[in-house]
Each structure stands twice: as C-alpha cells, then as structure tokens.
Amino acid sequence: MIFDSSIRFLYWCAVFCTFFLSYIQIGPYPPSNYIAVLILYILIIKIFVSRKNTFKNNQLIPFVLLISLIIALTMVLKGYTIYEIIIRLTKSMGTGLILSMASFHVVFTYGFKSALKPILLFAVLTSIVAFFQIMGFDFAWSLREIMGYANDGEVLKQLTERERAPGMAFYVTTMSYQLLVAFALTMIGIHYKINYLIKRIPINIIVIIIISTVIILSGSRSAYPVILLSLFTLFNDNTKPYRYLLIFLILGSIISLIYFNDDLYNRMTSVGFGGRLDRWYNGIQMTLYNPFGIFKNTGNYKEILLSQSFNTSGVGEFPHNHLITSAVKFGLLPVLIYIIYNLTLILRVYLALKKYRAIIILSILFYQFNTMFHNAGMLLGEQNGWYMFGIIESLLAIERRRISYKLKEREDN
C-alpha cells in the first residue's frame, strides 16, 4: 500500500534528520518536526481508509497524551498562551510521539529489520566520522563544523578546541544517545533472531566494534553500561560459533583504547559526579518549592535559585538529570506518570516476550540510566528514545497478534 511505503520513506528521512540535522532550524523547528507532521497526516488518512487502527495496542500513546494534557493545564494556570503551550508540547513530546508511531508502524508492517536499518546505518556513519575526529583528522572535524553550532557557545568551544568528538551529532552527549539506542537495538535484533543479523555475523562484529569503540572513546561514562549488552549477547545461541572471537575483539579493543588514551583513562578512572550532586540537590529543592513546575512570572531557573536559600554551586545550570529537569519545568505529576509508564512497559515485556525479554529490559534500563546524568530525555524532546520505545511497543503488539492468530487457529480446528 502506498501509505505504508510513504511512511517507511519518511521514517528514513526522519532518522537521518535526527542523526545529522537535529540542531538545524527551519523557522522555529528542526527538519524532523516537519517530517513528523507529514507522517501524522499520512497515518490519519491510512486509518480512515483502511478502517484499521494498528496503534490500539500501543500503550505509549495514552500515557503521552495524559502527560501532555497535564502539562497543558498547568501551563494555562501559569499564564502561558495557547501558542506557547503548542510550541512547548511540540518540542518536548509531540514530535517524539509521532516518530515513535512511525517506528511502531514500520516494525508492525515490515518487521524489525526495516526499522533498524536506518538507525544502524546512520549510527555507523557518525561513528566513523567520530573515530577520525578522535584520531585528529581535520577533515572529519570540518564535516561537523559545516553544520554549524546553533549559536551554542559551549558547542562552539568543543568544536574549535577539538575537545570531545561529536561525530555528526550536535555534540558528544547527543551522539552518545544515538549510539546507545543503535547498539541496544542491534543487540535486541540478534536475540530477536533476525536472519540478516545472524547470517552476516562477520559484518555485525565490525558494526558492533565500531559503535562500541566510539561509545568508549566518547568519554560519556553514563553510556558505557550499554556495552554490557554485547557480553550478555555472547551467551545467546545465535552467536555461539563466534563467541570467543567476539570476546577477544570487544574486550581487547576496550582495554587497548583505555590504555593508550591518557585522557580517556583519566576520565574513566575518575568517579566524581562533576558537580551533578549539587545540581540534583538544587533541582529537587526547586521541585519541592514549585511542585507544578516553574511559573511564567517567577523568573528563570537561575533567578529562582538565587532568590531562595539553595546551594548556589553550579547555580546557572539545570540539574543534568532528565527526570529532575523535567520536574523543574513541568512539575512532579508528568514525571511520575512517565516513571509509571516505564515500569508497566518493563512488566509487559517481562510477561509477553519471554524468549528475549532480558535484553529489552536491560536496554530500557540502560537508556534511562544514561538520562539520569544529562538533561536530555524523552520528556524534553530527545528523539532516539522515542524511536526505541516505539519499536519495543511494536514488538509487544506483534507478539499479541501472533497469540491471537494462534488462538483463532485452535478455535477453527
């Protein structure tokens, strides 16, 4: 059907924009937002024409709509205009929800492999650029500099001083989210027994090594635990013939990279939180003081901190914790609902996807662990998580469909 192929094409375009153009504005929004509008338009038409709603089993949608409603109501009480509310919801969750619906639809219609391909392809490309940046090749840094820095002074500093390689992402933290999700989905794919992932084991080893190496070299310590998924996968029957080769390549590359890179060694052996504890404390205090989020007429985050008797260490910065930052901006209730969704998702995966539930649950936990050390996250517009959660929801829907068909066959017999 033309609708399905159009959605798959736009899905590829959206993933490309997420990886390479997320920080480029066309008017008030990045390109992926406009693609999301087209996707939504086609999805609505398809549902009306086919009279089949494939999203009825996607529990991410009602949770997001509930969170959005609560945020909208609190923003109305805070004195925000309708335009400001739409802009806020579109940037924080609206676009992400549509992109997750696109990934859900692609998996449900064409299979897991079709949704994984663009994510894996663009993750490898940005990893290769990042690797050359780490090796000190100017052309790789120039590729990223062409895309600009969105008037962000800190990002400009990182690019001009060659501090930490971002690949083609906005900056290194953005890349860590991209590679974490790509790596997790690859591991899920191996356990999910996708033919091309099994039959092309040598290619997959190269892909795994490239992505895991750049994750390590990025210095984003909160993303490191995702590498454990590769060790977990080694004991899957699909990779048994290549188990010892994988162990040698993965552990050997990690150890050698750490040993030969002094900056990376110092970063990995440092257990400090970089001032995050003070920021978390400030954020929690701010949330308790403003349980419905910062109001429009109370000033910005820094001004409120200075006006209260909070710890002023790192006073100008948000908490560097997705949940705390979201609570500061939106209030406690949306964050609690988001936590409840994650817990129910883990429970649904545990009950329904018995053969490969462990790898999916670990992927969810590692993604959320990474968000605990950065402001970025699904509630604040981080798009890679939306793709992954849409794919997971689709795997659950496919399993439910399989069981329904099986029960129907039994009844017919």
Side-chain angles (χ1 to χ4, degrees):
M1 184 181 290
I2 188 171
F3 296 122
D4 294 331
S5 59
S6 298
I7 293 169
R8 182 169 61 173
F9 171 75
L10 290 173
Y11 170 76
W12 271 75
C13 295
V15 175
F16 172 81
C17 291
T18 297
F19 270 78
F20 302 125
L21 306 176
S22 63
Y23 45 92
I24 293 178
Q25 299 285 112
I26 300 177
Y29 300 110
S32 58
N33 291 48
Y34 300 100
I35 295 174
V37 172
L38 290 175
I39 291 173
L40 181 62
Y41 178 71
I42 296 174
L43 284 173
I44 292 173
I45 295 177
K46 182 183 185 301
I47 291 172
F48 273 104
V49 171
S50 65
R51 296 186 179 182
K52 292 181 180 179
N53 182 11
T54 58
F55 300 102
K56 60 184 178 181
N57 295 320
N58 187 341
Q59 294 190 18
L60 178 60
I61 296 174
F63 272 97
V64 173
L65 293 178
L66 178 59
I67 292 173
S68 300
L69 177 61
I70 294 171
I71 293 174
L73 291 175
T74 56
M75 289 184 71
V76 168
L77 295 176
K78 294 175 185 180
Y80 287 91
T81 65
I82 297 298
Y83 176 77
E84 290 173 324
I85 293 172
I86 292 173
I87 292 293
R88 169 65 69 84
L89 291 177
T90 300
K91 288 185 175 181
S92 60
M93 288 178 295
T95 300
L97 176 60
I98 298 171
L99 296 180
S100 76
M101 292 171 67
S103 63
F104 178 100
H105 183 80
V106 170
V107 174
F108 198 81
T109 307
Y110 295 102
F112 186 101
K113 179 175 70 174
S114 190
L116 176 60
K117 276 184 177 180
I119 293 175
L120 201 55
L121 171 62
F122 299 139
V124 170
L125 291 178
T126 198
S127 295
I128 292 172
V129 174
F131 184 78
F132 282 115
Q133 290 169 345
I134 294 165
M135 295 297 103
F137 290 90
D138 285 336
F139 79 89
W141 286 98
S142 298
L143 283 175
R144 171 60 188 85
E145 289 174 346
I146 291 172
M147 309 307 293
Y149 56 94
N151 295 321
D152 190 306
E154 183 61 29
V155 172
L156 174 62
K157 179 175 178 290
Q158 291 185 19
L159 292 177
T160 55
E161 297 184 7
R162 308 291 200 255
E163 287 185 350
R164 294 172 64 192
M168 292 301 293
F170 184 43
Y171 69 120
V172 66
T173 300
T174 308
M175 185 182 69
S176 73
Y177 277 85
Q178 295 172 350
L179 300 188
L180 185 152
V181 167
F183 195 88
L185 289 175
T186 302
M187 296 300 115
I188 292 173
I190 292 174
H191 285 257
Y192 189 58
K193 298 185 178 180
I194 300 176
N195 289 335
Y196 90 106
L197 283 175
I198 300 170
K199 294 178 180 178
R200 300 180 181 179
I201 289 291
I203 295 177
N204 294 317
I205 291 177
I206 295 172
V207 169
I208 290 169
I209 294 298
I210 290 173
I211 295 178
S212 60
T213 297
V214 175
I215 289 176
I216 293 294
L217 287 175
S218 72
S220 184
R221 291 167 293 187
S222 55
Y224 290 167
V226 76
I227 304 298
L228 297 176
L229 292 177
S230 61
L231 299 178
F232 182 85
T233 303
L234 291 174
F235 297 95
N236 182 274
D237 290 338
N238 298 332
T239 57
K240 189 174 181 180
Y242 304 92
R243 184 173 297 169
Y244 296 108
L245 177 61
L246 275 168
I247 292 175
F248 174 78
L249 289 175
I250 293 172
L251 294 182
S253 62
I254 291 174
I255 293 171
S256 61
L257 287 169
I258 295 173
Y259 182 79
F260 290 109
N261 189 315
D262 291 338
D263 292 337
L264 180 62
Y265 177 82
N266 293 333
R267 185 170 180 80
M268 290 193 69
T269 54
S270 172
V271 294
F273 284 86
R276 281 180 171 81
L277 292 179
D278 288 334
R279 295 169 193 155
W280 293 352
Y281 176 77
N282 287 340
I284 292 171
Q285 290 285 87
M286 177 77 76
T287 302
L288 296 176
Y289 186 76
N290 300 281
F292 296 101
I294 298 176
F295 280 69
K296 187 176 182 180
N297 59 356
T298 55
N300 60 34
Y301 183 71
K302 182 177 181 179
E303 290 170 345
I304 298 173
L305 281 179
L306 292 173
S307 66
Q308 306 299 320
S309 57
F310 299 155
N311 186 343
T312 57
S313 176
V315 70
E317 299 185 31
F318 273 102
H320 282 259
N321 180 299
H322 170 232
L323 295 182
I324 300 176
T325 301
S326 299
V328 167
K329 291 190 172 185
F330 303 140
L332 280 172
L333 190 54
V335 174
L336 290 176
I337 296 173
Y338 176 72
I339 293 172
I340 291 171
Y341 166 73
N342 277 271
L343 294 176
T344 58
L345 177 62
I346 290 172
L347 180 61
R348 288 162 56 214
V349 169
Y350 181 82
L351 295 175
L353 306 178
K354 295 181 180 180
K355 291 183 179 180
Y356 51 99
R357 61 190 176 189
I359 198 72
I360 295 180
I361 291 173
L362 286 173
S363 298
I364 295 170
L365 293 175
F366 289 149
Y367 174 83
Q368 297 301 349
F369 176 81
N370 189 47
T371 68
M372 294 302 98
F373 297 88
H374 307 287
N375 292 319
M378 290 172 66
L379 292 176
L380 297 172
E382 198 287 307
Q383 294 179 354
N384 295 279
W386 287 101
Y387 289 121
M388 184 173 78
F389 279 67
I391 289 172
I392 293 172
E393 284 285 354
S394 192
L395 293 177
L396 287 166
I398 290 172
E399 179 63 17
R400 184 168 180 170
R401 181 178 61 180
R402 186 189 69 82
I403 293 174
S404 297
Y405 285 161
K406 201 170 183 180
L407 291 175
K408 189 176 180 180
E409 287 178 357
R410 288 180 180 177
E411 291 175 359
D412 293 339
N413 294 331

